[in-house]
Amino acid sequence: MTETSIKKRCYISLTKPASNTLAGYTALTWTKIGGVVTIGQIGFNHATIEAPDLETGITQTLKGARSGTGGQIAFRQIAADTGQTAVSTANEGETEVAIQVVDPDGTTSDYWTGIIHSLVDNEASTTSYEGSTFTFVPNYARVRGASDIT
């Protein structure tokens, strides 16, 4: 059965895990980012390597190194929200952080380690809300496993 994204939640830890494993992530302290509106696509893009073959005249495409793809996360402003404050702190810092995206069923999460940058406030208009958007770029492979949030 197809699920919607309703009830999906996002958490932040200003400390990266000691290891990129489920155990490393579950040892962290998590803070919920309140008022999340959207969680963009987070993942990796691969470079390609072209390997020509003189005999066949065919150039094969090989998978090269990969780099994190920045996903934007938007939230509506909630006064004194500790998760939003943590995002702001991470945006100003130069260190890696961890995020946890909890599935709607609450039992499974995606764990990522990377950087937060480009925290910007929403446009002020008659059709917008007070809030912000930031970009999260992973530097390590996703770990998917049991949710650490009860």
Side-chain angles (χ1 to χ4, degrees):
M1 180 173 135
T2 302
E3 291 186 33
T4 69
S5 294
I6 295 172
K7 295 187 180 181
K8 206 167 247 210
R9 293 164 287 149
C10 188
Y11 292 78
I12 184 171
S13 172
L14 292 176
T15 306
K16 72 178 195 173
S19 64
N20 194 41
T21 62
L22 189 56
Y25 283 106
T26 56
L28 298 175
T29 299
W30 296 99
T31 304
K32 181 180 176 185
I33 303 170
V36 170
V37 177
T38 60
I39 301 171
Q41 296 173 313
I42 299 169
F44 288 88
N45 282 327
H46 286 87
T48 56
I49 301 168
E50 293 184 357
D53 185 304
L54 185 59
E55 181 179 348
T56 64
I58 296 173
T59 300
Q60 289 185 336
T61 301
L62 308 173
K63 191 186 298 185
R66 62 184 180 162
S67 60
T69 301
Q72 291 191 325
I73 299 175
F75 56 85
R76 61 184 171 80
Q77 182 179 345
I78 299 176
D81 183 82
T82 55
Q84 292 179 12
T85 301
V87 167
S88 181
T89 299
N91 183 68
E92 296 303 319
E94 298 293 329
T95 60
E96 292 177 318
V97 300
I99 65 167
Q100 178 180 177
V101 179
V102 182
D103 283 355
D105 65 8
T107 61
T108 308
S109 291
D110 289 333
Y111 297 90
W112 298 94
T113 298
I115 62 164
I116 287 177
H117 68 86
S118 302
L119 174 64
V120 294
D121 291 338
N122 289 352
E123 169 188 54
S125 74
T126 59
T127 59
S128 65
Y129 56 88
E130 292 293 314
S132 301
T133 301
F134 67 92
T135 301
F136 177 82
V137 181
N139 285 332
Y140 302 89
R142 174 185 74 163
V143 172
R144 183 155 176 82
S147 178
D148 187 37
I149 306 301
T150 54

